[in-house]
Amino acid sequence: MKISWKRLQQRLRFSDGWTASLFLAPSLAGFAVFFLLPFGVGFYYSLIDTPIGGKFVGLDNYAELIGNPVFRRAASNTLRFTLISVPLGMGLSLLLAMLLNRSVYGRVWLRIGFLAPLVIPVASVVLVWQSLFDMNGSINGLLLSWGLKPQDWMESGMAFWVVVVVYLWKNVGYNMVLFLAGLQNIPADYYEAASIDGAGKFRQWRTITLVYLTPTSFFVFIMSIINSFKVFRETYMIAGEYPQERIYMLQHYMNNMFKSLDYQKLTSAAFLMAVVIVSLVLLLFAIERRMAKTLG
């Protein structure tokens, strides 16, 4: 019995599809059990008045949450932190990447040094930050030796900038590597042609470097935003569960709601934060696709 080539291709494609599904099944099952199902249960909890034997209350939990001044403070602090730390991190990462893309003495060791925060356990590093910014820490000791007044870093407005410094220290190295990869993929011929045409260094940077780094910049921007929402770990370990009010983030609020067993506010806040992050990421991807079409 003869089988046509087209029919054979269809059978092979069908067989490949089943093979791929079998390999993907464990990952999909794990994603469904540990991520998708808890997310759905959490959303259900946000619509009832109590987790055990509760009744459906619709969006009342969300309305109560938005009217809560503590939640609004946590949300505004998180937004402010993201708006300040993400541009600073991207600018510093790009500057370091451009520096290390040249023949700089000790370039390899500098790269290793900037990547070290990615592999060092956070808990051990936090001890160093605590010893630096404690009231009796190293920085205040240095200020006293200079005849200056010591600062209560973690119980004043300076606590916000301490957290920004910790965020930059943690994430700049990773972003720098991404920018460095993007820079090394730009053909050197473009710069030579621009130089022959009389373009200066700044114009080459503006019309060549920034343009060809657009995809990398969007990816770094998205990852930086996501990482800015994960700064709670370092903040919690440095300042505790009730830090200075300027560094009281959304994750602090949700952690405290969990400890008080207020699951309705916890799940409502978590779902709102997830919606904001997903919406922002989708918007950025849409902007990137439109810019890619324009540049293409």
Side-chain angles (χ1 to χ4, degrees):
M1 181 177 179
K2 293 184 178 180
I3 300 176
S4 66
W5 175 248
K6 186 175 182 180
R7 191 175 182 85
L8 180 60
Q9 283 182 320
Q10 290 176 348
R11 288 188 177 182
L12 289 174
R13 198 177 298 120
F14 179 79
S15 176
D16 290 343
W18 271 106
T19 303
S21 300
L22 289 174
F23 278 106
L24 289 173
S27 297
L28 293 176
F31 175 76
V33 171
F34 296 106
F35 291 94
L36 194 59
L37 184 60
F39 189 79
V41 173
F43 179 61
Y44 170 73
Y45 282 161
S46 71
L47 301 176
I48 59 178
D49 59 351
T50 180
I52 301 175
K55 63 179 181 179
F56 181 78
V57 294
L59 299 178
D60 290 352
N61 290 328
Y62 292 94
E64 183 181 354
L65 185 71
I66 294 173
N68 189 325
V70 179
F71 172 79
R72 291 203 302 268
R73 182 194 304 150
S76 63
N77 286 342
T78 304
L79 178 62
R80 180 169 174 263
F81 177 79
T82 300
L83 291 177
I84 292 176
S85 62
V86 170
L88 280 175
M90 290 188 65
L92 186 58
S93 301
L94 179 58
L95 181 65
L96 290 172
M98 294 178 64
L99 177 66
L100 295 182
N101 196 37
R102 301 179 178 181
S103 298
V104 180
Y105 177 76
R107 181 171 59 177
V108 175
W109 291 106
L110 286 173
R111 291 180 183 178
I112 294 173
F114 284 117
L115 287 175
L118 297 177
V119 297
I120 298 176
V122 176
S124 60
V125 174
V126 163
L127 295 175
V128 178
W129 289 106
Q130 287 178 334
S131 66
L132 287 174
F133 293 104
D134 188 74
M135 189 62 187
N136 299 314
S138 303
I139 295 180
N140 280 336
L142 188 62
L143 291 176
L144 282 173
S145 67
W146 291 344
L148 300 175
K149 184 180 179 181
Q151 296 284 334
D152 193 357
W153 299 97
M154 300 310 300
E155 294 297 333
S156 65
M158 293 301 297
F160 177 83
W161 297 106
V162 172
V163 176
V164 170
V165 169
V166 173
Y167 168 84
L168 294 176
W169 174 84
K170 182 70 177 176
N171 294 281
V172 160
Y174 175 70
N175 294 341
M176 180 199 70
V177 170
L178 295 176
F179 276 126
L180 193 58
L183 288 171
Q184 292 177 350
N185 284 330
I186 302 176
D189 298 342
Y190 294 167
Y191 294 102
E192 293 177 3
S195 180
I196 293 172
D197 290 340
K201 293 293 183 181
F202 178 75
R203 188 173 181 183
Q204 291 180 30
W205 178 77
R206 181 171 56 86
T207 59
I208 299 176
T209 305
L210 289 185
V211 170
Y212 281 92
L213 280 180
T214 299
T216 304
S217 299
F218 269 100
F219 180 75
V220 171
F221 187 45
I222 291 171
M223 294 302 299
S224 298
I225 291 175
I226 294 173
N227 288 330
S228 71
F229 282 88
K230 295 161 59 178
V231 76
F232 163 74
R233 179 177 54 181
E234 290 83 0
T235 307
Y236 181 85
M237 298 183 74
I238 293 175
E241 57 188 17
Y242 289 102
Q244 204 272 341
E245 63 175 13
R246 295 186 67 187
I247 57 173
Y248 187 81
M249 305 293 183
L250 278 173
Q251 294 89 338
H252 285 95
Y253 178 82
M254 290 186 285
N255 183 69
N256 293 333
M257 290 303 102
F258 176 77
K259 292 186 69 174
S260 62
L261 303 180
D262 197 342
Y263 294 119
Q264 298 78 251
K265 290 182 181 178
L266 166 64
T267 53
S268 300
F271 190 77
L272 277 179
M273 189 174 72
V275 168
V276 169
I277 295 175
V278 171
S279 301
L280 185 58
V281 170
L282 292 177
L283 176 63
L284 290 173
F285 274 121
I287 294 173
E288 192 222 355
R289 284 195 294 268
R290 180 169 295 184
M291 290 188 65
K293 289 180 181 179
T294 303
L295 294 174

